[in-house]
Amino acid sequence: MKPAPTRLRPLCVLLVWLPLGPALAQEREKPREFLDSLADNALAPDRNAIYRRDGKRREIDLGDGIEASLDEAKASFLSNPRGTPGGAGVVSRVIGISARKPSYGYDLSYGRSALGRRAGLSGGWRLGERVVLYADVHENRSEIDDLPGTPSTRLRRRDSEFGLRWRSADGSTSTWTTDLALHQSRLAPDPASALVPEATGEQLVWRGRLEPASWPGLSLMAQLNHVLGREPAPSTELSGHRIGLGADWRLADGWGPLPAGSLLAWRESPRLGLLGDDEALTLPAAYRRSIGLELPDGSGRGHVYTQLRHRSLADRDDALGVLGWQRNWAPWPRWGLDTQLEQAVPLAGRYPIRATQAGGRLSTSRFPRLSFSTALDLVNASTSDSAYHEIKLTQRLADDWLGALRLSVSRSQPHGNSAAGSTDYKGALALGWREPQARALHLLSRMTWSGREVDAGVPASTSADRRARIWLGHAGYLFDDHHTLTVRLSHRTARDETRLDGNGLVLPHRTQFWLTRWIWEQDREGDQRWSLSAHVAGRSDNLDGAARAWGAELGYRVSSKAALTLGYNPRGFADNEITVEERPRKGFTLRLRFTIEGALARWLDNGRSGTATPWSLPDNPPAGLAPSLDRAQEQSAAGF
């Protein structure tokens, strides 16, 4: 007998109306400026700096109508394709390239996080004044291990769509957009389960979108999916059939109590299958109904939002409410603080997961004197709890001295069980110096430590403790405008509880690594950009034995601090933890080469004075602008 449906509890939201201020604009970078900034990773790794700068996503103008964008996006409970909250500090790093031409356009994107990755390619070709032939292919791979009653699953979903898009003439009349397409979906979980099923299907898709001229900002949408073929024959919950209706209304001038800039969104699918959902990876993540509201918070730098989701494919009684607030603050001059607070509230049904996440990032950039950021992220869910904290500092200590610090620690555990979790940490402290007269000799010393501490309640077969410390010493000498010699030494001590002797005792692990590289460049600073380099390297390990590597690289300088190189090593070895950005493994290599010499010069050549100004907080809080909190914008498939 089917259990009686759970009563839907009301979700009450109180929002305060205040006027909305102007948003801050994005600044596009030139490719060489972008690549030069990445040289700092040679001092101490900082992946966040690759995707964000001064709190904003990075946009690069590649010229000829082509743009690239990089961003870090935190997981959100809004339209979450997994149906689970994920962990603290888990961000999706997204890279996108888009082009807009009179006759065609395309978007290429790739995103990756600790939970999986997503790749997509879409393009459109204009066949006439109002008709576009378009294609859209995207694939989502995810690790799902926190869905109630479901085993740990590796899931892959691929969607491909090819069709025609017709758009009515632009002008003062209402605008129609119509798609007619062939869509194929495939879900391939390993292993398959009741909530994460396996299915394949093809659908004929019609979509329509109307933007009435008499209602500015309003869009009305409809979608019909008709199944053409499927293998194997799925149930109603898995089929590609879909009847969908929706509306978005962006209020340009406000309406009643809603201020200008507010957004109302509604989606309703009287008939829906998982294959027809386009994005959801699991049955609990696909809902037939969603109603959302987004409001500016009155500061000009933030917004609050709420969403009600009802009738999932896993249980028709499922209902989930989401509340959130995102805001950027300017606590001091040239400082920015990004904050996010979001809560998912189960209202009814068996599968919605209660979760609350709160996070913030405080940052400032005073290049070439100082760059600092710190972040804290907390997630408390009915399935698991997690926390993440990081500190990043690069500071010029004097005209010829530079220091860098990177620290991060994360903790995860089952909800309410503090004896069955794990803690991961990593840190790096680097000190660099350049000889002041000829500026030819460059030295860097860096200590890195990392580890994982596993609680006693975690099975030994699942995870084990590991600790490692690595010292790196680097010396580089610039003989003239063409020749450079570098020498690198590293020593690692590690304790890994998975490596035991015959008596069950942990084996001490010690590794030494050295590398010498000679680089010849046509001209280090001029228009001649080609270079050749040769290297020889060695590793001595008390557990894995000795190894040697040698090879050469052909490089082309793409910016003042970066070179694109193609190399080959007839003999080599792989140990990324100790070799870091070097590539001594056997075979061909392709990489962007950033040198420690270039990274030191980037900071020490700019703004030279007698003594570097020590870092301190400003005395008086200001009313200045700060970096804005940007949200990733999706590109349309056709791009016209």
Side-chain angles (χ1 to χ4, degrees), residues 77-231:
F77 305 141
L78 295 175
S79 304
N80 189 321
R82 304 172 70 253
T84 60
V90 176
V91 296
S92 178
R93 295 183 170 97
V94 182
I95 300 174
I97 298 177
S98 62
R100 297 294 179 265
K101 301 289 186 178
S103 59
Y104 70 91
Y106 64 83
D107 296 299
L108 176 65
S109 64
Y110 178 78
R112 189 179 183 91
S113 73
L115 302 176
R117 65 177 185 264
R118 188 183 193 280
L121 173 63
S122 61
W125 297 264
R126 190 182 298 277
L127 303 180
E129 184 179 355
R130 305 178 188 176
V131 181
V132 172
L133 174 67
Y134 74 90
D136 184 7
V137 180
H138 60 269
E139 181 176 278
N140 199 330
R141 299 191 181 193
S142 186
E143 300 279 348
I144 299 176
D145 58 5
D146 53 356
L147 198 60
T150 302
S152 179
T153 305
R154 301 177 66 182
L155 177 61
R156 172 183 175 185
R157 172 166 185 154
R158 173 175 287 184
D159 288 87
S160 306
E161 182 169 306
F162 304 90
L164 291 173
R165 173 166 296 161
W166 177 85
R167 185 179 178 89
S168 65
D170 297 329
S172 58
T173 60
S174 300
T175 302
W176 276 95
T177 304
T178 302
D179 293 351
L180 184 62
L182 180 65
H183 190 110
Q184 182 186 61
S185 302
R186 182 185 179 189
L187 284 163
D190 182 20
S193 61
L195 299 182
V196 191
E198 180 177 1
T200 302
E202 295 81 30
Q203 309 105 46
L204 181 65
V205 179
W206 174 88
R207 295 189 192 90
R209 185 184 186 97
L210 172 64
E211 300 175 2
S214 57
W215 292 79
L218 176 64
S219 297
L220 303 175
M221 292 155 281
Q223 178 173 336
L224 297 175
N225 289 22
H226 176 71
V227 174
L228 298 177
R230 51 193 182 271
E231 181 185 358

Side-chain angles (χ1 to χ4, degrees), residues 15-21 257-260 295-300:
L15 300 172
V16 180
W17 173 80
L18 289 171
L20 176 68
L258 302 180
L295 297 173
D297 66 357
S299 67

Side-chain angles (χ1 to χ4, degrees), residues 37-38 40-52 58 72 93 361 371-373 388 390-394 405-406 428:
S37 70
L38 303 187
D40 293 355
N41 280 273
L43 302 174
D46 183 6
R47 298 191 65 182
N48 173 264
I50 301 175
Y51 297 88
R52 303 211 106 197
R58 308 194 70 162
E72 284 189 338
R93 295 183 170 97
R361 176 181 294 273
S371 175
F372 172 81
S373 71
Y388 175 81
E390 69 175 23
I391 298 174
K392 300 175 182 178
L393 170 67
T394 303
L405 173 68
R406 309 284 187 264

Side-chain angles (χ1 to χ4, degrees), residues 190-458:
D190 182 20
S193 61
L195 299 182
V196 191
E198 180 177 1
T200 302
E202 295 81 30
Q203 309 105 46
L204 181 65
V205 179
W206 174 88
R207 295 189 192 90
R209 185 184 186 97
L210 172 64
E211 300 175 2
S214 57
W215 292 79
L218 176 64
S219 297
L220 303 175
M221 292 155 281
Q223 178 173 336
L224 297 175
N225 289 22
H226 176 71
V227 174
L228 298 177
R230 51 193 182 271
E231 181 185 358
S235 63
T236 302
E237 289 77 14
L238 296 183
S239 74
H241 284 299
R242 181 173 187 176
I243 300 175
L245 302 171
D248 290 338
W249 191 14
R250 177 70 72 177
L251 305 178
D253 301 320
W255 181 56
L258 302 180
S262 300
L263 173 66
L264 294 93
W266 164 69
R267 299 291 186 272
E268 187 80 25
S269 296
R271 187 172 184 180
L272 178 65
L274 186 58
L275 290 177
D277 187 85
D278 296 342
E279 293 292 339
L281 301 176
T282 67
L283 292 177
Y287 282 82
R288 294 180 174 89
R289 175 183 301 144
S290 69
I291 302 172
L293 173 64
E294 178 185 306
L295 297 173
D297 66 357
S299 67
R301 303 187 184 98
H303 60 273
V304 293
Y305 52 90
T306 181
Q307 185 187 68
L308 173 65
R309 310 179 73 190
H310 188 211
R311 300 177 62 200
S312 80
L313 294 181
D315 187 345
R316 294 176 65 90
D317 297 327
D318 281 354
L320 178 69
V322 178
L323 303 172
W325 180 32
Q326 291 183 342
R327 170 74 187 272
N328 174 268
W329 312 75
W332 305 289
R334 301 174 65 180
W335 285 76
L337 173 63
D338 295 332
T339 59
Q340 179 182 14
L341 177 64
E342 191 171 89
Q343 183 172 25
V345 184
L347 304 176
R350 295 178 294 172
Y351 296 108
I353 297 176
R354 179 201 58 79
T356 301
Q357 69 174 2
R361 176 181 294 273
L362 176 68
S363 61
T364 185
S365 178
R366 305 185 181 192
F367 180 82
R369 295 294 175 185
L370 170 75
S371 175
F372 172 81
S373 71
T374 182
L376 176 65
D377 194 15
L378 304 172
V379 174
N380 179 276
S382 55
T383 55
S384 62
D385 303 326
S386 56
Y388 175 81
H389 179 52
E390 69 175 23
I391 298 174
K392 300 175 182 178
L393 170 67
T394 303
Q395 183 173 2
R396 186 169 169 178
L397 306 175
D399 271 358
D400 304 296
W401 291 88
L402 183 68
L405 173 68
R406 309 284 187 264
L407 292 173
S408 67
V409 59
S410 62
R411 167 75 183 178
S412 62
Q413 64 185 42
H415 178 64
N417 189 355
S418 60
S422 62
T423 302
D424 294 87
Y425 59 88
K426 187 172 185 179
L429 180 63
L431 181 64
W433 173 81
R434 185 180 65 179
E435 181 265 325
Q437 280 75 35
R439 303 182 187 178
L441 178 62
H442 299 70
L443 301 178
L444 180 81
S445 178
R446 182 173 72 208
M447 178 61 73
T448 303
W449 59 96
S450 62
R452 164 171 286 192
E453 304 289 341
V454 180
D455 296 336
V458 178

